[in-house]
Amino acid sequence: MMSSASAPGKLMLLGEHSVVYGHPCLVTTVDLRVRVCVESIPGDRLVIRTPALTKAGREDTINLADLQEMTSFPAETGFVLAAVREFQRAFGRVEGLRIVTEGPEQSYGLGSSSAVTVATMGALFGLRSLPLDLHRIHELSYAAVLAVQGKGSGFDVASATFGGTILFQRTGGVVEKLAVPDLPIVIGYSGKKVSTTNLITRVAELHQRHPGLVDGMFSLMVDLVLSGRSALLSANWSLLGELVNINHGLLESLGVSTVQLAKPIYAARESGAFGAKLSGAGGGDCMFALVDDRHREAVRDAIAAAGAQPLELATNVEGLRLD
Ligand code: PMV
């Protein structure tokens, strides 16, 4: 028996950090799909092959019985192992498994961990012929991600699961799928990957020192997300660009921007973008600009000249899919 599934990466449009405190955010998927194939094998072993392990000429084998007791997860296979464990906890013991993951060479901090977790969970649902209950898959995948990294809102897992462009809010389990046209976006990779959990901690410390100020910023972010939802639904890109700029200003105030992000953001704005901001935890990873066709090339060149790598990736793509 064999089953395979794939899930996309994600790009945060508005509301990062405040989403960790139970507020809403807007997130779209990006076409960086991770594919996971699971196959039943005899015995009690879990054999895992990932692109990184294959490159290093190895595959990892662990005993399924040991999985329950694991307190820390290896970097290369942690999200896959945690997904299998959550699946086992929900549905009972799995037989021996061979799991092979395939993904893009580079993930640019655009959600490969959530994608591999959701794709593993989806493939396990497929292997057991369970109905593809996306809310359950989201819940179990989120538990797996928390087991590995300890923190996070689950917006990335929701994005990989449900796909498209969504308004996500952990409080109340809100996942609203938005009927939006193609998003006119250019992404720029700052060249540096960061630890999301460190940045969440930094913002938590700032929040502790200045609760009133930081809650005030979060409340403005909620307004931005709600206005952004309307702007998205009416494809009002110049309005969305303005909101994106304001959101970036607030992220600057939270202290999570960097010179490497600010340079391409300002360069994109000066070259005719509707707006530009960092996307995700900050400290590195990606920025994006909203831009019409007329300015697209100039904005892409400006992003590159400012030291970031422009990425042309389709957004608003399908979520979890059994292949
Ligand atoms: O760094 P990323 O792309 O995983 O985004 C993190 C977004 C945060 O709001 C800071 C954390 C979260 O889990 O919501």
Side-chain angles (χ1 to χ4, degrees), residues 10 16-17 19-20 109 152-153 155 196 200 280-281:
K10 56 88 185 93
E16 49 274 89
H17 286 290
V19 67
V20 176
S153 65
F155 83 100
T196 299
I200 294 178

Side-chain angles (χ1 to χ4, degrees), residues 176-256:
E176 184 194 2
K177 200 133 184 205
L178 303 176
V180 297
D182 282 347
L183 301 171
I185 279 179
V186 175
I187 301 171
Y189 177 56
S190 73
K192 186 176 137 201
K193 276 197 64 71
V194 291
S195 150
T196 299
T197 51
N198 286 352
L199 284 153
I200 294 178
T201 305
R202 260 175 41 194
V203 171
E205 286 164 0
L206 191 74
H207 185 244
Q208 221 162 33
R209 289 198 298 279
H210 307 281
L213 287 175
V214 175
D215 280 334
M217 286 191 253
F218 288 163
S219 146
L220 291 174
M221 289 178 183
V222 173
D223 293 346
L224 287 169
V225 166
L226 298 181
S227 303
R229 174 184 175 279
S230 307
L232 269 171
L233 289 173
S234 55
N236 187 339
W237 308 127
S238 61
L239 171 60
L240 189 63
E242 228 163 54
L243 301 172
V244 153
N245 286 343
I246 297 170
N247 196 163
H248 182 76
L250 293 171
L251 292 164
E252 287 273 8
S253 304
L254 285 182
V256 299

Side-chain angles (χ1 to χ4, degrees), residues 47-60 76-77 98-103 105:
V47 181
I48 306 184
R49 200 163 354 121
T50 67
L53 289 174
T54 305
K55 227 181 197 169
R58 34 182 274 250
E59 53 181 24
D60 268 10
E76 298 112 328
T77 54
R98 174 185 301 281
I99 303 186
V100 180
T101 75
E102 284 164 25
E105 284 263 305

Side-chain angles (χ1 to χ4, degrees), residues 136-149:
R136 193 78 205 278
I137 288 174
H138 172 238
E139 179 197 328
L140 294 173
S141 303
Y142 179 44
V145 167
L146 281 185
V148 179
Q149 68 184 31

